[in-house]
Coordinates of all heavy atoms in Angstrom, one line a residue:
Y522 N 30.5 -8.6 -7.8 CA 31.1 -7.6 -7.1 C 30.9 -6.2 -7.8 O 30.5 -6.2 -9.0 CB 32.6 -7.8 -6.9 CG 33.0 -9.1 -6.2 CD1 33.1 -10.3 -6.8 CD2 33.2 -9.0 -4.8 CE1 33.4 -11.5 -6.1 CE2 33.5 -10.2 -4.1 CZ 33.6 -11.4 -4.7 OH 33.9 -12.5 -4.0
H523 N 31.1 -5.1 -7.1 CA 30.8 -3.8 -7.6 C 32.0 -3.1 -8.0 O 32.8 -2.6 -7.2 CB 30.0 -3.0 -6.6 CG 28.6 -3.5 -6.3 ND1 27.5 -3.1 -7.0 CD2 28.2 -4.3 -5.3 CE1 26.5 -3.7 -6.5 NE2 26.8 -4.4 -5.5
I524 N 32.3 -3.1 -9.3 CA 33.4 -2.4 -9.9 C 33.1 -2.2 -11.4 O 32.5 -3.1 -12.0 CB 34.7 -3.1 -9.7 CG1 35.9 -2.2 -10.0 CG2 34.8 -4.4 -10.4 CD1 37.3 -2.8 -9.6
T525 N 33.6 -1.1 -12.0 CA 33.4 -0.9 -13.4 C 34.3 0.2 -13.9 O 34.9 0.9 -13.1 CB 31.9 -0.5 -13.7 OG1 31.7 -0.5 -15.1 CG2 31.6 0.9 -13.2
R526 N 34.4 0.3 -15.2 CA 35.2 1.4 -15.8 C 34.2 2.5 -16.3 O 33.2 2.3 -16.9 CB 36.0 0.9 -17.0 CG 37.2 0.0 -16.5 CD 38.1 -0.4 -17.7 NE 39.2 -1.1 -17.2 CZ 39.3 -2.4 -17.0 NH1 38.2 -3.2 -17.3 NH2 40.4 -3.0 -16.6
M527 N 34.6 3.7 -16.1 CA 33.9 4.9 -16.4 C 34.8 5.8 -17.3 O 36.0 5.5 -17.4 CB 33.5 5.7 -15.2 CG 32.6 4.9 -14.2 SD 30.9 4.7 -14.8 CE 30.3 6.4 -14.4
P528 N 34.2 6.7 -18.1 CA 32.8 7.2 -18.1 C 31.9 6.3 -18.9 O 32.4 5.7 -19.9 CB 32.9 8.6 -18.7 CG 34.1 8.5 -19.6 CD 35.1 7.6 -18.9
N529 N 30.7 6.2 -18.5 CA 29.7 5.4 -19.3 C 28.3 6.0 -19.0 O 27.7 5.7 -18.0 CB 29.8 3.9 -18.8 CG 29.0 3.0 -19.8 OD1 28.0 3.5 -20.4 ND2 29.3 1.8 -19.8
L530 N 27.8 6.8 -19.9 CA 26.5 7.5 -19.7 C 25.3 6.5 -19.7 O 24.3 6.8 -19.2 CB 26.3 8.5 -20.7 CG 27.2 9.8 -20.6 CD1 27.0 10.7 -21.8 CD2 26.7 10.6 -19.3
A531 N 25.6 5.3 -20.3 CA 24.5 4.3 -20.3 C 24.1 3.9 -18.9 O 23.0 3.6 -18.6 CB 24.9 3.0 -21.1
Y532 N 25.1 3.9 -18.0 CA 24.8 3.6 -16.6 C 24.0 4.7 -15.9 O 23.1 4.4 -15.1 CB 26.1 3.4 -15.8 CG 27.0 2.2 -16.1 CD1 28.3 2.0 -15.7 CD2 26.4 1.2 -17.0 CE1 29.0 0.9 -16.0 CE2 27.2 0.1 -17.3 CZ 28.5 -0.1 -16.8 OH 29.2 -1.2 -17.1
M533 N 24.2 5.9 -16.3 CA 23.4 7.0 -15.8 C 22.0 6.9 -16.2 O 21.0 7.1 -15.4 CB 24.0 8.3 -16.2 CG 23.2 9.5 -15.8 SD 23.1 9.7 -14.0 CE 21.8 11.0 -13.9
A534 N 21.8 6.6 -17.5 CA 20.4 6.5 -18.0 C 19.6 5.4 -17.5 O 18.4 5.5 -17.3 CB 20.5 6.4 -19.6
S535 N 20.3 4.2 -17.2 CA 19.6 3.0 -16.8 C 19.4 3.0 -15.3 O 18.4 2.4 -14.8 CB 20.3 1.8 -17.2 OG 21.6 1.7 -16.6
A536 N 20.3 3.6 -14.5 CA 20.2 3.4 -13.0 C 20.7 4.6 -12.2 O 20.9 4.5 -11.0 CB 20.9 2.2 -12.6
G537 N 21.0 5.7 -12.9 CA 21.5 6.9 -12.2 C 22.9 6.7 -11.6 O 23.3 7.4 -10.7
Y538 N 23.6 5.7 -12.1 CA 25.0 5.4 -11.6 C 26.0 6.4 -12.1 O 25.9 6.9 -13.2 CB 25.3 4.0 -12.0 CG 26.7 3.5 -11.5 CD1 26.7 2.9 -10.3 CD2 27.8 3.7 -12.2 CE1 27.9 2.4 -9.7 CE2 29.0 3.2 -11.7 CZ 29.1 2.6 -10.5 OH 30.3 2.2 -10.0
P539 N 27.0 6.8 -11.3 CA 27.3 6.3 -9.9 C 26.7 7.0 -8.8 O 27.0 6.7 -7.6 CB 28.8 6.5 -9.9 CG 29.0 7.8 -10.7 CD 28.0 7.7 -11.8
F540 N 25.8 8.0 -9.1 CA 25.2 8.8 -8.0 C 24.3 8.0 -7.1 O 24.2 8.3 -5.9 CB 24.5 10.0 -8.7 CG 25.4 10.7 -9.6 CD1 25.3 10.5 -11.0 CD2 26.3 11.6 -9.2 CE1 26.1 11.2 -11.9 CE2 27.2 12.3 -10.1 CZ 27.0 12.0 -11.5
T541 N 23.6 7.0 -7.7 CA 22.6 6.3 -6.9 C 23.3 5.1 -6.1 O 22.6 4.3 -5.5 CB 21.5 5.7 -7.8 OG1 22.1 5.0 -8.9 CG2 20.7 6.9 -8.3

Side-chain angles (χ1 to χ4, degrees):
Y522 297 87
H523 292 275
I524 190 170
T525 191
R526 287 186 175 87
M527 299 285 285
N529 193 336
L530 287 171
Y532 291 170
M533 175 63 193
S535 64
Y538 184 85
F540 309 98
T541 54

